[in-house]
Amino acid sequence: MTIVMLHHQLTHYSNSALVGENDFDKFVLRNAEDVLKILRKNPQVIMTVSGHRNISTRYKKDAHLAIFTSPSTMTWPMRYIVFEVDNQKISYNTYDIDCSPEVWSEAKKNIMDDKWWHPENEHPMTPPGNEKFVAFMLSEATKSDVIELNSDTKNVLAQK
């Protein structure tokens, strides 16, 4: 079983990244597709974990891979992930950092006031856009999940 960790992401997690708004496309590794081709050929590679974008936990399935981006403990919403991995599944839970309301509020303000972090074409800096951005960053739906490994990966791992 192999887990690949890297700083830059291997996939886009927003439309802003796809179109390069605020240089969000630069969060993705330049040769990401070449790397993914190699990883797709190796069913023992079950997941990748990256940071750089510092959004709350997100993952995409790609062939047998679970491709994660992880939050930052220093950038709002200040979270971290705990993974549990076995031959059948990947489970994860995302937790908020325990900090004072003042620190939380200041960290959120820094993100909300900074157009570089705030993808304007998806979440305009307006009350409805800001509300949508907060919902994206704080999504409870992305804080935990169980991802079943596919049968090819389970077979390869069983043979080891």
Side-chain angles (χ1 to χ4, degrees), residues 60-115:
K60 290 185 177 183
K61 285 291 281 183
D62 183 312
H64 59 277
L65 300 167
I67 302 172
F68 282 89
T69 188
S70 60
S72 168
T73 57
M74 295 179 59
T75 305
W76 184 82
M78 300 180 306
R79 293 178 165 172
Y80 64 95
I81 310 170
V82 175
F83 292 98
E84 292 184 31
V85 180
D86 62 34
N87 288 351
Q88 303 295 312
K89 67 190 175 315
I90 301 165
S91 303
Y92 73 91
N93 287 295
T94 307
Y95 300 95
D96 295 330
I97 295 294
D98 186 19
C99 66
S100 71
E102 295 80 19
V103 169
W104 178 264
S105 179
E106 187 65 24
K108 181 179 177 186
K109 181 183 180 310
N110 289 339
I111 292 276
M112 298 302 290
D113 291 347
D114 189 338
K115 288 187 179 198

Short mmCIF file of all heavy atoms in Angstrom, two decimals, residues 60-115:
data_model
loop_
_atom_site.label_atom_id
_atom_site.label_comp_id
_atom_site.label_asym_id
_atom_site.label_seq_id
_atom_site.Cartn_x
_atom_site.Cartn_y
_atom_site.Cartn_z
N LYS A 60 -10.96 13.90 -4.69
CA LYS A 60 -11.55 13.43 -5.94
C LYS A 60 -11.06 12.01 -6.17
O LYS A 60 -9.93 11.68 -5.83
CB LYS A 60 -11.14 14.31 -7.12
CG LYS A 60 -11.73 15.69 -7.11
CD LYS A 60 -11.36 16.44 -8.36
CE LYS A 60 -12.04 17.80 -8.36
NZ LYS A 60 -11.79 18.54 -9.60
N LYS A 61 -11.92 11.22 -6.72
CA LYS A 61 -11.51 9.87 -7.13
C LYS A 61 -11.00 9.96 -8.55
O LYS A 61 -11.55 10.65 -9.39
CB LYS A 61 -12.70 8.91 -7.06
CG LYS A 61 -13.09 8.50 -5.67
CD LYS A 61 -12.07 7.62 -5.00
CE LYS A 61 -12.20 6.20 -5.48
NZ LYS A 61 -11.34 5.24 -4.88
N ASP A 62 -9.92 9.26 -8.82
CA ASP A 62 -9.33 9.18 -10.16
C ASP A 62 -8.82 7.75 -10.30
O ASP A 62 -7.83 7.39 -9.67
CB ASP A 62 -8.20 10.18 -10.31
CG ASP A 62 -7.61 10.18 -11.71
OD1 ASP A 62 -7.31 9.09 -12.25
OD2 ASP A 62 -7.42 11.27 -12.26
N ALA A 63 -9.51 6.96 -11.12
CA ALA A 63 -9.19 5.54 -11.25
C ALA A 63 -9.26 4.93 -9.84
O ALA A 63 -10.27 5.08 -9.17
CB ALA A 63 -7.85 5.33 -11.93
N HIS A 64 -8.19 4.33 -9.37
CA HIS A 64 -8.16 3.72 -8.04
C HIS A 64 -7.64 4.67 -6.96
O HIS A 64 -7.51 4.28 -5.81
CB HIS A 64 -7.28 2.46 -8.07
CG HIS A 64 -5.88 2.76 -8.49
ND1 HIS A 64 -5.52 2.88 -9.81
CD2 HIS A 64 -4.77 3.01 -7.76
CE1 HIS A 64 -4.23 3.17 -9.87
NE2 HIS A 64 -3.76 3.25 -8.64
N LEU A 65 -7.37 5.90 -7.32
CA LEU A 65 -6.76 6.87 -6.39
C LEU A 65 -7.80 7.75 -5.71
O LEU A 65 -8.77 8.18 -6.34
CB LEU A 65 -5.82 7.81 -7.15
CG LEU A 65 -4.65 7.21 -7.89
CD1 LEU A 65 -4.05 8.24 -8.82
CD2 LEU A 65 -3.62 6.72 -6.88
N ALA A 66 -7.55 8.04 -4.45
CA ALA A 66 -8.26 9.12 -3.76
C ALA A 66 -7.25 10.27 -3.68
O ALA A 66 -6.19 10.12 -3.07
CB ALA A 66 -8.70 8.68 -2.38
N ILE A 67 -7.55 11.38 -4.33
CA ILE A 67 -6.63 12.50 -4.40
C ILE A 67 -7.13 13.59 -3.46
O ILE A 67 -8.15 14.22 -3.71
CB ILE A 67 -6.52 13.03 -5.85
CG1 ILE A 67 -6.07 11.90 -6.78
CG2 ILE A 67 -5.58 14.22 -5.92
CD1 ILE A 67 -6.12 12.27 -8.24
N PHE A 68 -6.40 13.78 -2.35
CA PHE A 68 -6.81 14.71 -1.30
C PHE A 68 -6.05 16.01 -1.38
O PHE A 68 -4.87 16.03 -1.71
CB PHE A 68 -6.51 14.11 0.08
CG PHE A 68 -7.49 13.08 0.53
CD1 PHE A 68 -7.30 11.75 0.20
CD2 PHE A 68 -8.60 13.43 1.28
CE1 PHE A 68 -8.20 10.78 0.62
CE2 PHE A 68 -9.50 12.48 1.70
CZ PHE A 68 -9.30 11.15 1.37
N THR A 69 -6.74 17.09 -1.02
CA THR A 69 -6.07 18.32 -0.63
C THR A 69 -6.43 18.53 0.82
O THR A 69 -7.55 18.25 1.25
CB THR A 69 -6.46 19.52 -1.50
OG1 THR A 69 -5.61 20.62 -1.17
CG2 THR A 69 -7.90 19.93 -1.35
N SER A 70 -5.48 18.98 1.59
CA SER A 70 -5.70 19.10 3.02
C SER A 70 -5.72 20.56 3.44
O SER A 70 -5.11 21.41 2.81
CB SER A 70 -4.63 18.33 3.78
OG SER A 70 -3.36 18.83 3.48
N PRO A 71 -6.42 20.81 4.54
CA PRO A 71 -6.46 22.18 5.05
C PRO A 71 -5.14 22.55 5.73
O PRO A 71 -4.26 21.72 5.89
CB PRO A 71 -7.59 22.12 6.07
CG PRO A 71 -7.62 20.70 6.53
CD PRO A 71 -7.19 19.88 5.34
N SER A 72 -5.07 23.78 6.13
CA SER A 72 -3.91 24.28 6.86
C SER A 72 -4.31 24.55 8.30
O SER A 72 -5.44 25.00 8.56
CB SER A 72 -3.41 25.57 6.22
OG SER A 72 -2.48 26.21 7.06
N THR A 73 -3.41 24.31 9.21
CA THR A 73 -3.69 24.66 10.61
C THR A 73 -3.53 26.15 10.86
O THR A 73 -3.97 26.66 11.88
CB THR A 73 -2.75 23.88 11.55
OG1 THR A 73 -1.40 24.17 11.20
CG2 THR A 73 -3.02 22.39 11.47
N MET A 74 -2.93 26.86 9.90
CA MET A 74 -2.65 28.29 10.09
C MET A 74 -3.54 29.21 9.26
O MET A 74 -3.56 30.41 9.49
CB MET A 74 -1.19 28.57 9.73
CG MET A 74 -0.23 27.89 10.67
SD MET A 74 1.48 28.19 10.23
CE MET A 74 1.57 29.96 10.31
N THR A 75 -4.26 28.65 8.28
CA THR A 75 -5.10 29.46 7.41
C THR A 75 -6.56 29.08 7.65
O THR A 75 -6.89 27.89 7.69
CB THR A 75 -4.75 29.21 5.92
OG1 THR A 75 -3.36 29.44 5.73
CG2 THR A 75 -5.54 30.11 5.01
N TRP A 76 -7.41 30.08 7.83
CA TRP A 76 -8.82 29.82 8.09
C TRP A 76 -9.38 28.88 7.03
O TRP A 76 -9.05 29.05 5.88
CB TRP A 76 -9.58 31.16 8.11
CG TRP A 76 -11.01 31.01 8.46
CD1 TRP A 76 -11.54 30.90 9.72
CD2 TRP A 76 -12.10 30.93 7.56
NE1 TRP A 76 -12.88 30.76 9.64
CE2 TRP A 76 -13.25 30.76 8.32
CE3 TRP A 76 -12.22 30.95 6.17
CZ2 TRP A 76 -14.52 30.64 7.76
CZ3 TRP A 76 -13.46 30.82 5.60
CH2 TRP A 76 -14.59 30.68 6.39
N PRO A 77 -10.08 27.83 7.40
CA PRO A 77 -10.73 27.58 8.68
C PRO A 77 -9.91 26.77 9.69
O PRO A 77 -10.47 26.21 10.63
CB PRO A 77 -11.99 26.83 8.31
CG PRO A 77 -11.64 26.07 7.08
CD PRO A 77 -10.63 26.93 6.36
N MET A 78 -8.61 26.73 9.56
CA MET A 78 -7.68 26.15 10.52
C MET A 78 -8.12 24.75 10.96
O MET A 78 -8.71 24.55 12.01
CB MET A 78 -7.51 27.07 11.72
CG MET A 78 -6.95 28.42 11.28
SD MET A 78 -6.69 29.63 12.60
CE MET A 78 -8.25 29.73 13.38
N ARG A 79 -7.80 23.79 10.09
CA ARG A 79 -8.21 22.40 10.31
C ARG A 79 -7.05 21.45 10.05
O ARG A 79 -6.06 21.81 9.44
CB ARG A 79 -9.36 22.05 9.36
CG ARG A 79 -10.64 22.80 9.66
CD ARG A 79 -11.72 22.46 8.68
NE ARG A 79 -13.00 22.92 9.21
CZ ARG A 79 -14.12 22.91 8.53
NH1 ARG A 79 -14.14 22.46 7.29
NH2 ARG A 79 -15.24 23.32 9.07
N TYR A 80 -7.24 20.20 10.47
CA TYR A 80 -6.29 19.13 10.16
C TYR A 80 -7.07 17.84 9.93
O TYR A 80 -8.24 17.73 10.34
CB TYR A 80 -5.23 18.97 11.25
CG TYR A 80 -5.79 18.54 12.59
CD1 TYR A 80 -5.80 17.19 12.96
CD2 TYR A 80 -6.27 19.48 13.50
CE1 TYR A 80 -6.31 16.80 14.18
CE2 TYR A 80 -6.76 19.09 14.72
CZ TYR A 80 -6.78 17.75 15.06
OH TYR A 80 -7.28 17.38 16.27
N ILE A 81 -6.44 16.87 9.28
CA ILE A 81 -7.10 15.60 8.93
C ILE A 81 -6.40 14.45 9.65
O ILE A 81 -5.18 14.43 9.75
CB ILE A 81 -7.00 15.30 7.42
CG1 ILE A 81 -7.44 16.47 6.57
CG2 ILE A 81 -7.84 14.08 7.06
CD1 ILE A 81 -7.14 16.28 5.11
N VAL A 82 -7.21 13.50 10.08
CA VAL A 82 -6.71 12.23 10.58
C VAL A 82 -7.23 11.14 9.64
O VAL A 82 -8.45 11.03 9.43
CB VAL A 82 -7.16 11.96 12.03
CG1 VAL A 82 -6.72 10.56 12.48
CG2 VAL A 82 -6.62 13.03 12.97
N PHE A 83 -6.30 10.38 9.06
CA PHE A 83 -6.65 9.28 8.15
C PHE A 83 -6.53 7.95 8.88
O PHE A 83 -5.63 7.77 9.71
CB PHE A 83 -5.69 9.24 6.95
CG PHE A 83 -5.81 10.39 6.02
CD1 PHE A 83 -4.93 11.47 6.11
CD2 PHE A 83 -6.78 10.42 5.04
CE1 PHE A 83 -5.03 12.55 5.25
CE2 PHE A 83 -6.89 11.48 4.17
CZ PHE A 83 -6.01 12.54 4.27
N GLU A 84 -7.41 7.02 8.53
CA GLU A 84 -7.27 5.62 8.92
C GLU A 84 -7.34 4.83 7.62
O GLU A 84 -8.28 5.01 6.84
CB GLU A 84 -8.37 5.19 9.88
CG GLU A 84 -8.25 5.85 11.24
CD GLU A 84 -9.29 5.34 12.22
OE1 GLU A 84 -9.69 4.15 12.12
OE2 GLU A 84 -9.69 6.14 13.06
N VAL A 85 -6.35 3.98 7.39
CA VAL A 85 -6.24 3.28 6.12
C VAL A 85 -6.06 1.79 6.40
O VAL A 85 -5.26 1.41 7.26
CB VAL A 85 -5.04 3.81 5.30
CG1 VAL A 85 -4.92 3.09 3.97
CG2 VAL A 85 -5.17 5.32 5.10
N ASP A 86 -6.79 0.96 5.68
CA ASP A 86 -6.56 -0.49 5.73
C ASP A 86 -6.74 -1.06 4.33
O ASP A 86 -6.89 -0.28 3.37
CB ASP A 86 -7.45 -1.18 6.77
CG ASP A 86 -8.94 -1.05 6.50
OD1 ASP A 86 -9.35 -1.03 5.30
OD2 ASP A 86 -9.71 -1.00 7.46
N ASN A 87 -6.74 -2.36 4.19
CA ASN A 87 -6.82 -2.99 2.85
C ASN A 87 -8.18 -2.89 2.20
O ASN A 87 -8.35 -3.32 1.06
CB ASN A 87 -6.40 -4.45 2.94
CG ASN A 87 -4.92 -4.61 3.16
OD1 ASN A 87 -4.16 -3.65 3.09
ND2 ASN A 87 -4.50 -5.82 3.43
N GLN A 88 -9.14 -2.33 2.89
CA GLN A 88 -10.50 -2.23 2.36
C GLN A 88 -10.93 -0.78 2.08
O GLN A 88 -11.72 -0.54 1.17
CB GLN A 88 -11.50 -2.85 3.34
CG GLN A 88 -11.23 -4.30 3.68
CD GLN A 88 -11.38 -5.21 2.47
OE1 GLN A 88 -12.37 -5.13 1.76
NE2 GLN A 88 -10.39 -6.05 2.22
N LYS A 89 -10.41 0.15 2.88
CA LYS A 89 -10.95 1.50 2.80
C LYS A 89 -9.98 2.55 3.34
O LYS A 89 -9.02 2.22 4.02
CB LYS A 89 -12.26 1.58 3.58
CG LYS A 89 -12.07 1.40 5.08
CD LYS A 89 -13.38 1.23 5.80
CE LYS A 89 -13.22 0.94 7.26
NZ LYS A 89 -12.23 -0.04 7.63
N ILE A 90 -10.31 3.79 3.01
CA ILE A 90 -9.66 4.97 3.57
C ILE A 90 -10.76 5.72 4.32
O ILE A 90 -11.79 6.04 3.74
CB ILE A 90 -9.09 5.89 2.47
CG1 ILE A 90 -8.08 5.15 1.60
CG2 ILE A 90 -8.52 7.17 3.07
CD1 ILE A 90 -7.76 5.88 0.30
N SER A 91 -10.55 5.97 5.58
CA SER A 91 -11.47 6.79 6.37
C SER A 91 -10.74 8.06 6.77
O SER A 91 -9.54 8.02 7.02
CB SER A 91 -11.90 6.06 7.64
OG SER A 91 -12.48 4.82 7.35
N TYR A 92 -11.47 9.15 6.83
CA TYR A 92 -10.83 10.38 7.32
C TYR A 92 -11.82 11.22 8.09
O TYR A 92 -13.03 11.17 7.85
CB TYR A 92 -10.20 11.18 6.17
CG TYR A 92 -11.18 11.88 5.28
CD1 TYR A 92 -11.59 13.19 5.54
CD2 TYR A 92 -11.72 11.25 4.16
CE1 TYR A 92 -12.50 13.84 4.72
CE2 TYR A 92 -12.62 11.89 3.33
CZ TYR A 92 -13.01 13.18 3.62
OH TYR A 92 -13.91 13.82 2.81
N ASN A 93 -11.29 11.97 9.02
CA ASN A 93 -12.04 12.96 9.77
C ASN A 93 -11.21 14.23 9.82
O ASN A 93 -10.00 14.19 10.00
CB ASN A 93 -12.30 12.47 11.20
CG ASN A 93 -13.35 11.38 11.22
OD1 ASN A 93 -14.49 11.62 10.88
ND2 ASN A 93 -12.94 10.18 11.60
N THR A 94 -11.89 15.34 9.66
CA THR A 94 -11.25 16.65 9.70
C THR A 94 -11.68 17.36 10.97
O THR A 94 -12.86 17.36 11.32
CB THR A 94 -11.66 17.48 8.46
OG1 THR A 94 -11.39 16.71 7.29
CG2 THR A 94 -10.92 18.79 8.40
N TYR A 95 -10.71 17.94 11.64
CA TYR A 95 -10.97 18.59 12.92
C TYR A 95 -10.55 20.06 12.87
O TYR A 95 -9.56 20.40 12.23
CB TYR A 95 -10.18 17.89 14.04
CG TYR A 95 -10.55 16.44 14.18
CD1 TYR A 95 -9.81 15.45 13.53
CD2 TYR A 95 -11.66 16.05 14.94
CE1 TYR A 95 -10.15 14.12 13.65
CE2 TYR A 95 -12.00 14.71 15.06
CZ TYR A 95 -11.24 13.75 14.41
OH TYR A 95 -11.58 12.43 14.52
N ASP A 96 -11.30 20.88 13.59
CA ASP A 96 -10.96 22.29 13.73
C ASP A 96 -9.89 22.44 14.81
O ASP A 96 -9.91 21.73 15.82
CB ASP A 96 -12.19 23.11 14.11
CG ASP A 96 -13.24 23.12 13.03
OD1 ASP A 96 -12.89 23.01 11.85
OD2 ASP A 96 -14.44 23.23 13.37
N ILE A 97 -8.98 23.39 14.60
CA ILE A 97 -8.00 23.73 15.62
C ILE A 97 -8.71 24.43 16.77
O ILE A 97 -9.58 25.28 16.54
CB ILE A 97 -6.91 24.67 15.01
CG1 ILE A 97 -6.11 23.94 13.94
CG2 ILE A 97 -6.02 25.25 16.09
CD1 ILE A 97 -5.28 22.80 14.44
N ASP A 98 -8.36 24.08 17.96
CA ASP A 98 -8.92 24.73 19.14
C ASP A 98 -8.17 26.04 19.36
O ASP A 98 -6.97 26.04 19.64
CB ASP A 98 -8.77 23.81 20.35
CG ASP A 98 -9.47 24.36 21.58
OD1 ASP A 98 -10.36 25.23 21.43
OD2 ASP A 98 -9.12 23.92 22.69
N CYS A 99 -8.87 27.14 19.16
CA CYS A 99 -8.23 28.45 19.35
C CYS A 99 -9.27 29.43 19.88
O CYS A 99 -10.47 29.15 19.88
CB CYS A 99 -7.61 28.96 18.05
SG CYS A 99 -8.78 29.33 16.76
N SER A 100 -8.81 30.58 20.28
CA SER A 100 -9.72 31.59 20.83
C SER A 100 -10.62 32.14 19.72
O SER A 100 -10.24 32.15 18.54
CB SER A 100 -8.92 32.73 21.46
OG SER A 100 -8.30 33.50 20.45
N PRO A 101 -11.79 32.63 20.09
CA PRO A 101 -12.68 33.26 19.10
C PRO A 101 -12.01 34.44 18.39
O PRO A 101 -12.26 34.69 17.21
CB PRO A 101 -13.88 33.74 19.92
CG PRO A 101 -13.88 32.87 21.14
CD PRO A 101 -12.43 32.56 21.40
N GLU A 102 -11.11 35.13 19.08
CA GLU A 102 -10.43 36.28 18.47
C GLU A 102 -9.49 35.82 17.35
O GLU A 102 -9.44 36.44 16.28
CB GLU A 102 -9.63 37.07 19.52
CG GLU A 102 -10.48 37.75 20.57
CD GLU A 102 -10.94 36.82 21.69
OE1 GLU A 102 -10.34 35.74 21.87
OE2 GLU A 102 -11.91 37.17 22.37
N VAL A 103 -8.75 34.75 17.60
CA VAL A 103 -7.85 34.21 16.57
C VAL A 103 -8.66 33.71 15.39
O VAL A 103 -8.34 33.99 14.23
CB VAL A 103 -6.95 33.09 17.16
CG1 VAL A 103 -6.21 32.35 16.05
CG2 VAL A 103 -5.97 33.68 18.16
N TRP A 104 -9.73 32.97 15.66
CA TRP A 104 -10.61 32.45 14.60
C TRP A 104 -11.16 33.60 13.75
O TRP A 104 -11.11 33.57 12.52
CB TRP A 104 -11.75 31.66 15.25
CG TRP A 104 -12.74 31.12 14.27
CD1 TRP A 104 -13.93 31.69 13.92
CD2 TRP A 104 -12.65 29.93 13.51
NE1 TRP A 104 -14.58 30.92 12.99
CE2 TRP A 104 -13.81 29.83 12.73
CE3 TRP A 104 -11.69 28.93 13.41
CZ2 TRP A 104 -14.05 28.78 11.86
CZ3 TRP A 104 -11.93 27.87 12.55
CH2 TRP A 104 -13.09 27.80 11.79
N SER A 105 -11.67 34.63 14.42
CA SER A 105 -12.26 35.77 13.73
C SER A 105 -11.23 36.51 12.88
O SER A 105 -11.51 36.89 11.73
CB SER A 105 -12.88 36.72 14.77
OG SER A 105 -13.43 37.83 14.14
N GLU A 106 -10.04 36.73 13.41
CA GLU A 106 -8.99 37.43 12.66
C GLU A 106 -8.54 36.61 11.45
O GLU A 106 -8.33 37.15 10.35
CB GLU A 106 -7.80 37.74 13.57
CG GLU A 106 -6.73 38.61 12.91
CD GLU A 106 -7.22 40.00 12.56
OE1 GLU A 106 -8.18 40.51 13.17
OE2 GLU A 106 -6.60 40.60 11.65
N ALA A 107 -8.40 35.30 11.63
CA ALA A 107 -8.01 34.43 10.51
C ALA A 107 -9.07 34.46 9.41
O ALA A 107 -8.75 34.54 8.22
CB ALA A 107 -7.78 33.00 11.00
N LYS A 108 -10.32 34.41 9.79
CA LYS A 108 -11.41 34.47 8.80
C LYS A 108 -11.42 35.82 8.10
O LYS A 108 -11.55 35.88 6.87
CB LYS A 108 -12.75 34.21 9.48
CG LYS A 108 -13.91 34.23 8.53
CD LYS A 108 -15.22 33.95 9.24
CE LYS A 108 -16.38 34.06 8.28
NZ LYS A 108 -17.67 33.93 8.98
N LYS A 109 -11.25 36.89 8.86
CA LYS A 109 -11.24 38.24 8.27
C LYS A 109 -10.11 38.35 7.23
O LYS A 109 -10.31 38.92 6.16
CB LYS A 109 -11.06 39.28 9.36
CG LYS A 109 -11.06 40.72 8.86
CD LYS A 109 -10.81 41.71 9.99
CE LYS A 109 -10.80 43.13 9.54
NZ LYS A 109 -9.97 43.44 8.41
N ASN A 110 -8.94 37.83 7.55
CA ASN A 110 -7.81 37.89 6.62
C ASN A 110 -8.13 37.22 5.29
O ASN A 110 -7.75 37.71 4.23
CB ASN A 110 -6.56 37.26 7.24
CG ASN A 110 -5.99 38.10 8.35
OD1 ASN A 110 -6.24 39.30 8.44
ND2 ASN A 110 -5.23 37.47 9.22
N ILE A 111 -8.82 36.10 5.33
CA ILE A 111 -9.20 35.40 4.10
C ILE A 111 -10.30 36.16 3.36
O ILE A 111 -10.26 36.35 2.15
CB ILE A 111 -9.70 33.97 4.42
CG1 ILE A 111 -8.56 33.12 4.92
CG2 ILE A 111 -10.39 33.34 3.21
CD1 ILE A 111 -7.70 32.48 3.89
N MET A 112 -11.32 36.59 4.10
CA MET A 112 -12.47 37.24 3.48
C MET A 112 -12.11 38.57 2.82
O MET A 112 -12.72 38.97 1.85
CB MET A 112 -13.58 37.46 4.52
CG MET A 112 -14.13 36.18 5.12
SD MET A 112 -14.82 35.03 3.92
CE MET A 112 -16.28 35.88 3.42
N ASP A 113 -11.10 39.25 3.37
CA ASP A 113 -10.69 40.56 2.83
C ASP A 113 -9.64 40.47 1.73
O ASP A 113 -9.27 41.48 1.16
CB ASP A 113 -10.13 41.44 3.96
CG ASP A 113 -11.19 41.87 4.95
OD1 ASP A 113 -12.39 41.68 4.66
OD2 ASP A 113 -10.82 42.36 6.03
N ASP A 114 -9.16 39.28 1.45
CA ASP A 114 -8.04 39.12 0.53
C ASP A 114 -8.51 38.52 -0.79
O ASP A 114 -8.87 37.35 -0.86
CB ASP A 114 -6.98 38.22 1.17
CG ASP A 114 -5.69 38.17 0.38
OD1 ASP A 114 -5.71 38.47 -0.83
OD2 ASP A 114 -4.66 37.84 0.98
N LYS A 115 -8.54 39.33 -1.85
CA LYS A 115 -9.01 38.85 -3.15
C LYS A 115 -8.16 37.70 -3.68
O LYS A 115 -8.63 36.90 -4.47
CB LYS A 115 -9.04 39.99 -4.16
CG LYS A 115 -10.14 40.96 -3.92
CD LYS A 115 -10.25 41.97 -5.03
CE LYS A 115 -11.41 42.89 -4.71
NZ LYS A 115 -11.89 43.62 -5.84
#
